[in-house]
Amino acid sequence: MAWNEPGNNEKDPWGNRGNDGPPDLDEVVRNMQRKLSNLFGGQGNKKSDENNNASNSGPIGMGVIVAILLVVWLASGIYIVQPAEQGVVLRFGAYSSTSTSGPHWHIPYPFEQVEMVNVEQIRNTEIGYRSTAGRSGNTIHSESLMLTKDENIIDLKVAVQYRIKDAANYLFNVKNPDLTLRQMAESAIRETVGKSNMDFVLTEGRSAIASDTKELLQSLLNDYKTGLIVTSVNMQGVQPPEQVQAAFSDVVKAREDEVRQKNEAEAYANDIVPKARGAAYRIVQEAEAYQSQIIAKAKGETSRFVQVMNEYEKAPKITK
């Protein structure tokens, strides 16, 4: 007789009897778990053990998840500082410490953060002009025109190269350190040029002015603790203003002509003077030789006359 025919009192596969009602879903799940346990060699557990395992699995699972999240959070604090960088550690937004190259660890976000700063990169700022694609671009007359000690105006262009020395000072001591450096560089070059005459600036004084400007600029940067160090100051161009360049060119040409003619005169003198000195020396030597010859001849004649006179005094008749 089939299990679902009337009058069959045996249990059906779902644990129900005849037409007592639909199968209990919880009982079906327990039956399936029991069968799977037997299939993989397990033993059936009592109902009380199942309830205990179900009640304990929740806290254990949550603990594992929390532990994994904690490990991941702690691992997120590992960072590596490259050889050309410095790592600035911020704790709640305030400066905490500076890290050098190599692996490090910090308390992860939101407690601490790390900002990487490249301290080996050479930066450049321009005074009096702005370059584009490696070429000298437009002249900024408000920056390039400067007053000299002798109250002349020159048009000067300067390029300053620098790098970061202290990342913490660079980030926190000055609001915009790069702009501050450019303004300080303009101030330093104006002060240096203001202590020099125009001719000195335009001719042999370029290297001296660049050196003095670098020293003065570095002193200003140190006073403000900008964390920057100047590597070089280069004079890109120095000339009189456009309005007087033609007249100044004439002056320069006249000065060059003066120098050229002076050099030619010196060359002529260097050629003539040695020849004149040689001729004079030869004449002196000839005169001295003639003098020696005449004196020797006179001395010889005098000696011969004295000898004859002595003999004459002894025997005048015979001597005659």
Side-chain angles (χ1 to χ4, degrees):
M1 178 180 295
W3 63 271
N4 58 353
E5 290 183 359
N8 187 2
N9 295 326
E10 295 181 0
K11 291 183 178 180
D12 59 23
W14 307 109
N16 297 319
R17 295 180 177 271
N19 296 328
D20 292 343
D24 186 9
L25 183 59
D26 293 337
E27 186 65 24
V28 171
V29 173
R30 283 193 292 271
N31 290 336
M32 291 298 296
Q33 290 178 346
R34 203 176 292 113
K35 290 179 180 181
L36 290 175
S37 178
N38 293 334
L39 179 63
F40 291 99
Q43 301 294 330
N45 296 326
K46 295 181 180 180
K47 187 174 182 179
S48 61
D49 294 337
E50 292 178 356
N51 294 334
N52 292 334
N53 291 335
S55 63
N56 293 332
S57 61
I60 294 176
M62 284 298 294
V64 172
I65 294 175
V66 171
I68 293 174
L69 293 177
L70 180 62
V71 171
V72 172
W73 180 72
L74 293 175
S76 66
I78 299 175
Y79 64 97
I80 297 177
V81 181
Q82 300 299 326
E85 296 178 336
Q86 287 184 359
V88 179
V89 181
L90 308 179
R91 182 172 298 166
F92 297 110
Y95 171 73
S96 175
S97 62
T98 301
S99 303
T100 57
S101 60
H104 302 274
W105 181 87
H106 71 97
I107 303 174
Y109 181 87
F111 301 99
E112 290 184 349
Q113 293 176 306
V114 179
E115 290 193 22
M116 299 297 180
V117 180
N118 191 332
V119 297
E120 295 296 333
Q121 177 185 0
I122 299 299
R123 303 162 186 253
N124 184 71
T125 188
E126 299 160 342
I127 308 299
Y129 74 104
R130 299 293 183 269
S131 61
T132 56
R135 300 178 181 178
S136 296
N138 298 329
T139 299
I140 311 298
H141 293 292
S142 60
E143 298 178 358
S144 63
L145 295 179
M146 302 182 185
L147 187 66
T148 61
K149 181 179 179 181
D150 51 358
E151 298 182 354
N152 287 310
I153 298 177
I154 61 171
D155 193 335
L156 180 63
K157 300 178 180 65
V158 180
V160 180
Q161 293 183 332
Y162 63 98
R163 64 178 180 85
I164 299 174
K165 180 180 180 181
D166 190 310
N169 289 342
Y170 176 78
L171 292 176
F172 297 106
N173 283 351
V174 180
K175 183 177 181 180
N176 192 334
D178 297 293
L179 177 61
T180 301
L181 179 136
R182 188 163 67 84
Q183 295 173 345
M184 288 183 176
E186 182 179 352
S187 175
I189 189 65
R190 287 185 183 278
E191 180 176 345
T192 305
V193 170
K195 297 178 180 179
S196 306
N197 292 327
M198 182 178 183
D199 291 340
F200 179 76
V201 177
L202 294 176
T203 55
E204 74 273 10
R206 295 190 179 189
S207 59
I209 290 176
S211 177
D212 293 344
T213 300
K214 178 182 178 182
E215 183 179 353
L216 178 58
L217 175 57
Q218 188 62 59
S219 177
L220 293 173
L221 293 173
N222 294 340
D223 291 341
Y224 280 85
K225 297 181 179 180
T226 59
L228 298 174
I229 181 172
V230 180
T231 58
S232 65
V233 176
N234 302 315
M235 307 277 284
Q236 300 296 102
V238 53
Q239 58 187 0
E242 296 178 357
Q243 295 82 352
V244 295
Q245 281 188 7
F248 185 80
S249 297
D250 293 339
V251 174
V252 173
K253 184 178 180 181
R255 185 182 294 114
E256 292 175 351
D257 291 341
E258 177 187 2
V259 174
R260 178 178 55 81
Q261 292 177 2
K262 183 178 179 180
N263 292 334
E264 291 177 355
E266 290 178 352
Y268 179 76
N270 293 334
D271 180 50
I272 295 300
V273 171
K275 291 181 179 179
R277 288 176 178 173
Y281 181 76
R282 178 175 56 80
I283 292 173
V284 171
Q285 294 295 322
E286 290 177 353
E288 291 178 351
Y290 178 74
Q291 178 185 7
S292 299
Q293 179 183 1
I294 294 300
I295 292 175
K297 184 177 180 181
K299 287 181 178 180
E301 291 180 354
T302 301
S303 177
R304 183 175 60 83
F305 178 79
V306 170
Q307 292 176 2
V308 172
M309 183 184 67
N310 292 332
E311 295 298 328
Y312 178 79
E313 290 177 351
K314 294 178 181 179
K317 294 182 180 181
I318 295 174
T319 302
K320 288 182 178 181

